[in-house]
Amino acid sequence: MLPFAPREVPVNQPLRKVVIPAAGLGTRFLPATKAVPKEMLPIVDTPTIQLIVEEALRAGAQEVVVVNGRGKGAIEDHFDRSYELETELRNKGKKDLFEQVRRISDSVRIISVRQKEPLGLGHAVLAARHAVGNEWFGVMLGDDVVDGDDPAIGQLARLCQKTGKAAVALMPVPESQVHLYGIGAGKPFEDGHILVDRIVEKPKRADAPSNLAVIGRYVLPPDIFEVLANLKPGAIGEIQLTDALAVLASQGRLLGVRFTGTRHDAGDRLGYLQANIAYALKRADLREGLLAFLREVTR
Ligand code: UTP
């Protein structure tokens, strides 16, 4: 464990900034992700990262720091104004599409930072250090979608504001999958949440402290950056955010939040397809046609 004296900063209310790490290689989606970042792959017609930004905005965030890697210019372009496209849509009288496109760039202040090499999630979060500064912030993984009326990142932020502790979203997974996740365990806290005292990245099934997986929503204090800056590579040779969370857990400063909402792992091919079907089924213009097709192909 690191010799680490926390410089605690009071939780700001409400959450203002979120970091979206989007600099991974997305190897599970090759060849699609050779030139297109996986965070730009659409769920029906909306890039995954836009759904995540919209969740942040619904939770009251004002600034989104996107951690980009090589070839991730498409993300910057997506949230920027597109004069040619807007002019064309307006000239052709496509008012709804024009407004949709305009809304994306008008609704949010995006700051781009670069992770020069994909050395792990912890390393990606550390790249946002100067853009975040000395305040609490959210982290939302660019390939984890949580669908629900109450934005998951907002649920975490409210608990942080109430308790002064950091928070991660936890979800039970089958034991056969614990080796794919950060896994947390601890003592019961109010409302079904837990006070995390152990958290480990990608444990073997036999070593997993529970089946509660960390999924891609976190609200963290700024002193986490100091911990990250001093971490050595952990599981799979990467700088792991989970290892920094373990330091908070050892200080009794980390809550595991049993959030409400449906999570889709859009970074995984099956999870991505499921997310597309789930979102399409919620659309009045697609639902009947899709159901008819699914009945047909599964007969
Ligand atoms: P993943 O491990 O799911 O992303 O990281 P990956 O490495 O791109 O995926 P595969 O396994 O090769 O298909 C979760 C999130 O963290 C970001 C990713 O972009 C993704 O949104 N990430 C990961 C970074 O920003 N930098 C990294 O070094 C690693």
Side-chain angles (χ1 to χ4, degrees):
M1 203 58 69
L2 287 167
F4 169 65
R7 285 185 299 107
E8 291 188 36
V9 170
V11 187
N12 46 297
Q13 304 193 12
L15 187 70
R16 286 192 330 121
K17 292 184 184 174
V18 304
V19 174
I20 303 185
L25 293 177
T27 53
R28 283 169 289 172
F29 271 97
L30 282 169
T33 45
K34 188 173 172 215
V36 178
K38 75 170 162 185
E39 293 78 7
M40 283 299 292
L41 298 179
I43 308 289
V44 187
D45 51 13
T46 304
T48 312
I49 193 165
Q50 187 182 324
L51 293 177
I52 292 165
V53 167
E54 285 170 358
E55 179 190 325
L57 296 178
R58 285 193 291 125
Q62 293 157 14
E63 224 168 79
V64 175
V65 182
V66 178
V67 182
N68 285 300
R70 187 186 56 86
K72 299 266 182 171
I75 296 177
E76 283 178 34
D77 290 347
H78 182 70
F79 291 102
D80 203 354
R81 276 278 173 88
S82 172
Y83 291 104
E84 301 88 334
L85 179 62
E86 288 177 18
T87 309
E88 191 69 16
L89 291 174
R90 211 172 18 208
N91 290 346
K92 292 196 164 149
K94 299 189 171 175
K95 193 163 169 277
D96 288 356
L97 282 177
F98 168 78
E99 277 166 9
Q100 256 187 47
V101 165
R102 185 46 93 70
R103 189 175 52 84
I104 299 163
S105 52
D106 279 356
S107 57
V108 62
R109 192 163 119 77
I110 300 268
I111 296 174
S112 263
V113 299
R114 205 164 176 86
Q115 183 191 18
K116 289 186 185 140
E117 271 182 274
L119 298 181
L121 179 57
H123 186 258
V125 172
L126 184 59
R129 181 178 198 164
H130 297 293
V132 169
N134 197 31
E135 64 179 279
W136 285 65
F137 63 102
V139 175
M140 303 173 75
L141 294 199
D143 56 0
D144 250 337
V145 178
V146 185
D147 187 19
D149 291 337
D150 187 6
I153 194 73
Q155 297 174 43
L156 269 63
R158 286 201 300 273
L159 210 62
C160 293
Q161 283 151 21
K162 195 169 139 200
T163 62
K165 296 184 191 297
V168 295
L170 289 183
M171 187 185 93
V173 295
E175 277 175 21
S176 58
Q177 289 182 15
V178 290
H179 67 287
L180 301 172
Y181 290 92
I183 299 290
K187 298 181 191 62
F189 195 75
E190 57 197 58
D191 298 331
H193 309 309
I194 64 169
L195 181 62
V196 179
D197 56 23
R198 274 159 302 154
I199 184 163
V200 43
E201 184 63 32
K202 299 186 174 45
K204 290 198 186 100
R205 192 168 172 165
D207 302 334
S210 78
N211 70 335
L212 291 176
V214 176
I215 70 111
R217 300 291 181 274
Y218 315 73
V219 175
L220 301 172
D223 55 275
I224 195 89
F225 290 123
E226 223 166 289
V227 185
L228 287 168
N230 288 293
L231 279 182
K232 301 263 175 308
I236 61 169
E238 295 187 349
I239 306 284
Q240 295 289 356
L241 182 58
T242 304
D243 293 342
L245 297 176
V247 175
L248 295 181
S250 72
Q251 297 165 342
R253 295 171 65 203
L254 184 66
L255 293 175
V257 179
R258 300 295 306 276
F259 61 99
T260 59
T262 306
R263 178 258 185 172
H264 300 284
D265 180 2
D268 168 78
R269 284 169 301 179
L270 181 59
Y272 176 76
L273 292 171
Q274 289 167 342
N276 269 284
I277 291 173
Y279 274 78
L281 288 175
K282 293 200 312 177
R283 294 264 290 257
D285 56 336
L286 297 174
R287 185 179 169 82
E288 285 314 314
L290 180 58
L291 277 175
F293 173 74
L294 290 174
R295 276 193 290 267
E296 179 69 28
V297 291
T298 52
R299 198 162 40 203

